[in-house]
Amino acid sequence: MLVLAAPPSYADEAAFKPLLIEPAKTLTDRCRNGIVAHRIEKWHKRDHLGVPQPSSFDSVEKIMRDMAPEAIGRLEDNGCDPRYLWGFIGCTALDDPNFKSEKIVSRGVTADTDEEMAVIMKTCIDGIANAGVSPAL
């Protein structure tokens, strides 16, 4: 059986709990829970760091792991729709207020708390669903 569940430490947080489908009965439920859990983990580990640490990009392997995380590859390998996965990741990406570029236009999406991030994630889930993209192939 395919297991794509949120780590308990993230799934139990009140702000994010409504985003997860429990119990996850279908592949669609498991795909949605898997990408949400991955995004919560990234939110807690990296998003709060602000500017990426220089050591994060000291090798090609680290760059590739950052650009194409193993968790997303596993979800794709297990039948989750890449359009949903990457659409959700792109939609929930936050602007770094310290990043300045003339070529990249800020989207103005920011979050300082779990509650704010949960609202962004819910909005993205709804938007992707309204576009007719399902979490599973």
Side-chain angles (χ1 to χ4, degrees):
M1 168 158 222
L2 175 66
V3 177
L4 302 172
S9 61
Y10 301 129
D12 291 339
E13 294 180 21
F16 297 114
K17 195 167 184 111
L19 300 174
L20 300 166
I21 299 169
E22 297 296 337
K25 295 179 181 178
T26 66
L27 178 59
T28 295
D29 297 346
R30 292 186 296 271
C31 288
R32 176 176 156 168
N33 285 357
I35 195 61
V36 168
H38 171 73
R39 189 63 188 95
I40 293 168
E41 180 180 5
K42 294 298 268 184
W43 162 249
H44 282 275
K45 286 185 178 177
R46 187 176 78 186
D47 290 353
H48 286 121
L49 294 177
V51 179
Q53 302 300 315
S55 64
S56 297
F57 299 107
D58 60 359
S59 74
V60 172
E61 291 80 15
K62 285 186 180 180
I63 293 171
M64 290 308 297
R65 275 196 305 268
D66 188 63
M67 297 300 290
E70 290 178 24
I72 294 177
R74 281 192 304 275
L75 290 168
E76 288 179 359
D77 291 345
N78 285 303
C80 300
D81 190 334
R83 295 173 306 153
Y84 187 91
L85 302 175
W86 290 106
F88 182 76
I89 292 296
C91 181
T92 60
L94 302 177
D95 287 334
D96 181 348
N98 299 311
F99 181 76
K100 306 290 184 231
S101 170
E102 294 176 11
K103 299 185 189 262
I104 299 174
V105 178
S106 168
R107 296 181 313 136
V109 179
T110 59
D112 293 320
T113 66
D114 286 353
E115 290 77 14
E116 291 172 348
M117 187 60 184
V119 169
I120 290 169
M121 292 170 77
K122 176 68 171 126
T123 301
C124 292
I125 288 169
D126 293 345
I128 295 168
N130 288 339
V133 179
S134 172
L137 291 172

